[in-house]
Amino acid sequence: MSGDGSWRRVSREGRRFLRGRYRSLRRLALWSLLESAHTFLGGYAVARALDDGFLAGRTGTGLGWLAVAGAGALLGALALRGVFGGLADLVEPLRDGLVRRSVRQAIGRAVADPGRAGDAGAVSRLTQQTEMARDSFAGLVLVARSFVFTALGALLGLAALDPVLLVLVLPALLLGTAGFLATLRPMARVQRAALDADEALSGRAGELAAGLRDVVACGGGASAGAPVERLIAEQERLTGRLARWTALRTLALGVAGRLPVVALLAGTPWLLGRGVSAGAVAGALTYLVQSLLPALDALMTAVGAAGTRLLVVLDRFCTPQSDSPAATTAPEAAPGVGAGPGVAVELRGVWFAYGPRAQPVIDGLDLTVGAGEHLAVVGPSGIGKSTLTALIAGLLPPGGGTVRVAGAPAQGVTGPGPDLRRTLLPQQAYVFTGTVRENLTHLCPGPVSGAEVERATAALGSDGLVDRLGGLDGAVDPARLSPGERQHLALTAAYLSPAPLLLLDEATCHLDLRTEERAERALAARPGTLVVVAHRISSAARADRVLVLDGTRAVCGTHAELPARSPLYRDLVGLWNARG
């Protein structure tokens, strides 16, 4: 999916959305005009207070103009109250429209393939993604509107004080803004190319590592390593290009944010020589420092952060949802325990310690995992990730608080026999002596057809392993399987399980990057909820949300936003990137 295609798709849908909301836009504009009046009064009143008041020896007049500036601030507060009312008329219809579109997509997929009526991604789109789009859209509208009308009030104020002020301020401001806008699209293209190169390098290195012994034995190291070297060189080239664009962007921000002030101060003798008053210069400086430049800085920051996030989320709603090969072969959930809308896992005030005097491993954790969500759990070794999965699996009772799965206590059983609400895969995969079919279907309460098993092995990429073992009726000797092969069989069994909640406690640690990615994507596309204790940041990057456990507090968010919120996660991402 190209960035230009995403932009065209989203902008087309955005224009269609705004065309039907002229009344809301007018209301927002009228309140914003009132805010422009507040900006205008802020600098103009300062200039008059100096020229007509304090510098002229009329203290009362100066204080009166300052009172006018204070009244302008109250006017701005009133305007802001009205702005939020107008903003709701834009933001809430956007959210409602995204919810309706998500429901239509889910219904369309269910009608097209009745065997897959449970759309695991629909819950994420209905909840997390719609809220993310609403918040990002609201932030962008607020910031963009504030900049436009603040700039209008400030520029009108500069012209009212003396039009010659615009000659010094406006060129530098326009130059910096134009430079910033010119870097947006090239930087996006380079970032996308760098991500593609990084994924290609990871995939190639994983393939090479899997067959490294054979490559060395055959003396093919040079030819096998050549593609990796080319990818590394391409990544280095793209990193250099990205650094150059970043430097240009920083320069543009500096020009837009600092050069107008420098130009005004440097040109003050020239202005005073042309008859511009000291109050007018002070008013112009007030416009720049207190209104125009902060609004410009907020706009550039929002466009660079929330704008990118909004584009990605909206493109998911604008793009027809097609089924992946893994998704088309996902098994149906068992009756009564299928993935439906609601909450899959809920923890409230949970704490746990291994002993009455031991330090808590989990302390006051609140967490809600929606049905159909893909959550990754990351953190240092021994921080409590496995303990968390054991609590959700009902293997450990919480020392305090509540743990609920599908609305019931985690340690409760919904009926006779095993609890079909969840399946836990530990790091040491469970494989037993028996046939391949028995190892793949032992988590299913009833018979499983050969066609279903074959679809599962194709989705997980374990069909080659099954063939090497002699097919579904071949014998399995756990001692003759590698740790990765045992994990591959266990993951396929979990895929066939009817449990709507899968818990993977580093259950892919012995797989190469490519096999791990295929397995996790297939399990995430399977109807139900997936919680993965990740030992690679690439696993976290694929999840809908990431829970970071760092011993002092738990932070939950998306892979894109967590580096700014969690120093630990920022360090983990940096370490992973440094390792390539």
Side-chain angles (χ1 to χ4, degrees):
M1 178 180 63
S2 69
D4 292 342
S6 301
W7 170 252
R8 286 194 296 268
R9 198 159 38 240
V10 173
S11 61
R12 182 173 60 249
E13 294 287 341
R15 289 193 299 270
R16 185 182 305 168
F17 170 77
L18 294 175
R19 273 198 298 268
R21 285 162 181 82
Y22 285 133
R23 179 174 298 179
S24 299
L25 290 172
R26 284 197 301 268
R27 178 184 176 188
L28 194 61
L30 288 174
W31 282 111
S32 299
L33 279 174
L34 194 60
E35 192 173 359
S36 293
H38 152 59
T39 302
F40 177 86
L41 288 175
Y44 191 82
V46 168
R48 297 278 70 82
L50 284 174
D51 289 339
D52 301 339
F54 300 119
L55 294 179
R58 294 190 289 270
T59 304
T61 302
L63 293 175
W65 277 111
L66 291 181
V68 170
L74 295 177
L75 191 66
L78 177 63
L80 192 60
R81 181 176 180 273
V83 162
F84 276 99
L87 183 66
D89 293 340
L90 278 179
V91 173
E92 296 306 324
L94 173 70
R95 179 187 180 278
D96 295 343
L98 294 179
V99 168
R100 287 192 294 269
R101 178 165 296 195
S102 178
V103 171
R104 285 198 301 268
Q105 288 175 348
I107 292 175
R109 297 181 71 176
V111 171
D113 188 356
R116 290 191 59 253
D119 184 0
V123 176
S124 175
R125 291 191 295 273
L126 278 170
T127 55
Q128 181 185 0
Q129 295 182 29
T130 55
E131 293 302 321
M132 187 184 299
R134 180 178 69 171
D135 294 344
S136 299
F137 179 65
L140 279 176
V141 170
L142 272 178
V143 171
R145 171 213 58 82
S146 176
F147 171 73
V148 169
F149 288 94
T150 297
L152 177 64
L155 294 177
L156 287 176
L158 289 171
L161 292 176
D162 198 312
V164 75
L165 293 169
L166 295 174
V167 176
L168 286 177
V169 170
L170 202 54
L173 188 66
L174 293 177
L175 178 63
T177 304
F180 171 78
L181 295 177
T183 63
L184 288 179
R185 184 167 291 187
M187 280 193 69
R189 283 198 295 264
V190 176
Q191 285 174 332
R192 189 172 298 107
L195 288 175
D196 292 341
D198 181 68
E199 291 179 0
L201 178 60
S202 299
R204 182 61 183 170
E207 293 173 355
L208 186 60
L212 190 59
R213 182 179 59 184
D214 296 334
V215 170
V216 174
C218 297
S223 59
V228 175
E229 292 178 358
R230 286 195 295 269
L231 288 171
I232 293 174
E234 175 67 10
Q235 198 173 45
E236 182 181 3
R237 184 183 67 84
L238 291 171
T239 302
R241 285 183 58 191
L242 186 60
R244 288 191 292 272
W245 280 112
T246 302
L248 289 175
R249 180 176 177 177
T250 304
L251 178 62
L253 287 171
V255 169
R258 301 293 179 265
L259 192 56
V261 176
V262 173
L264 180 63
L265 294 176
T268 297
W270 178 75
L271 292 171
L272 295 177
R274 290 181 56 89
V276 179
S277 66
V281 174
L285 191 63
T286 301
Y287 282 131
L288 290 177
V289 175
Q290 292 189 357
S291 300
L292 193 56
L293 299 185
L296 179 62
D297 182 69
L299 176 67
M300 291 181 174
T301 303
V303 170
T308 304
R309 184 167 61 247
L310 181 63
L311 176 64
V312 172
V313 173
L314 291 183
D315 187 60
R316 294 180 65 86
F317 286 94
C318 297
T319 305
Q321 298 294 316
S322 59
D323 291 336
S324 65
T328 58
T329 59
E332 292 185 28
V337 296
V343 176
V345 178
E346 185 178 27
L347 287 78
R348 289 289 175 263
V350 173
W351 72 272
F352 180 86
Y354 289 98
R357 297 184 181 180
Q359 289 292 326
V361 180
I362 304 292
D363 191 4
L365 178 61
D366 291 326
L367 176 67
T368 299
V369 184
E373 188 175 10
H374 179 187
L375 176 75
V377 183
V378 301
S381 178
I383 205 66
K385 304 186 295 294
S386 296
T387 302
L388 175 62
T389 58
L391 288 167
I392 298 174
L395 302 179
L396 294 175
T402 59
V403 182
R404 303 181 72 83
V405 174
Q411 288 196 295
V413 178
T414 56
D419 189 347
L420 297 179
R421 294 176 298 168
R422 65 259 165 131
T423 290
L424 170 65
L425 265 68
Q427 183 176 352
Q428 301 301 324
Y430 172 65
V431 178
F432 55 90
T433 301
T435 66
V436 174
R437 186 191 307 272
E438 289 168 344
N439 273 274
L440 297 183
T441 60
H442 72 280
L443 296 175
C444 302
V448 182
S449 68
E452 289 178 276
V453 178
E454 290 174 2
R455 286 196 296 269
T457 58
L460 272 293
S462 57
D463 42 3
L465 173 60
V466 171
D467 291 339
R468 290 197 302 273
L469 293 174
L472 296 180
D473 296 323
V476 173
D477 181 0
R480 298 177 65 87
L481 296 178
S482 69
E485 289 172 332
R486 289 197 292 269
Q487 284 190 337
H488 218 169
L489 290 178
L491 290 167
T492 308
Y495 182 88
L496 283 166
S497 165
L501 172 62
L502 295 185
L503 303 167
L504 308 186
D505 185 7
E506 295 195 359
T508 62
C509 63
H510 296 299
L511 302 180
D512 61 80
L513 286 170
R514 193 169 186 176
T515 305
E516 178 189 63
E517 179 179 3
R518 181 171 182 175
E520 286 184 358
R521 291 192 184 280
L523 292 172
R526 169 189 179 275
T529 304
L530 179 63
V531 177
V532 178
V533 173
H535 64 288
R536 296 183 178 116
I537 292 299
S538 54
S539 294
R542 288 189 288 270
D544 298 325
R545 284 192 301 157
V546 182
L547 175 66
V548 183
L549 299 179
D550 64 1
T552 57
R553 65 188 184 97
V555 184
C556 196
T558 65
H559 172 70
E561 64 188 18
L562 275 177
R565 297 175 52 198
S566 169
L568 172 62
Y569 194 77
R570 183 166 60 249
D571 292 341
L572 292 174
V573 172
L575 181 62
W576 175 257
N577 290 335
R579 290 175 176 174

